[in-house]
Structure formats: C-alpha cells, structure tokens
Amino acid sequence: MLKFTLVNHAVRDNCQDAVSEAPDGWHVEIKPPRRSLDQNAKIHAELMDLIQGGVKFAGKTRNMDEWKAIFV
C-alpha cells in the first residue's frame, strides 16, 4: 500500500505515476487529513511526556504505539 501526502508538485507527480502504474482493480482514495500538523505534533509531544515520565497503564509502561492505541 502506498500513501502520499500532497505537499508539493514532486509528491503529486509521484502519486500520479503510482496511479498510472497500479494494476486494474486497485482503489484510489483522496481525502482530507484527519488532523493538522500542529495537532499531530501536540499529541506526539504529550505521548512522549507520558513515556519519559514512566507513566503506567494497567501496571505497565507503554511505548508510543501503545499509548496512541490507548488514546484512540
């Protein structure tokens, strides 16, 4: 699976190439971002604070992916 975040012309060109080369039957989806870059940076900073602070959930310290899953 490929994902492209359309941030400049080079990425758009790469995306168009991938679509042109994709096999028949594949799907293409274009949708808005779920959150902004600022929101993304904020949640990562907050999760890092939990990790660095040694905060436990259900008796265990957690890594970034585990904390993300817990908060989602």
Side-chain angles (χ1 to χ4, degrees):
M1 179 175 82
L2 297 173
K3 273 188 170 179
F4 296 92
T5 301
L6 303 176
V7 294
N8 59 42
H9 290 294
V11 173
R12 288 175 186 275
D13 290 344
N14 291 338
C15 181
Q16 289 173 342
D17 290 344
V19 170
S20 294
E21 296 171 12
D24 289 345
W26 281 42
H27 296 261
V28 175
E29 183 175 294
I30 297 176
K31 61 185 179 181
R34 291 183 283 181
R35 60 181 177 240
S36 71
L37 293 177
D38 287 342
Q39 290 169 319
N40 199 44
K42 181 178 179 181
I43 190 68
H44 277 89
E46 291 173 349
L47 296 176
M48 189 57 68
D49 287 344
L50 295 174
I51 293 166
Q52 290 175 344
V55 176
K56 294 181 179 181
F57 180 80
K60 298 180 185 177
T61 56
R62 304 296 174 152
N63 64 33
M64 181 67 75
D65 290 334
E66 291 169 328
W67 278 116
K68 283 182 190 178
I70 290 165
F71 276 85
V72 170

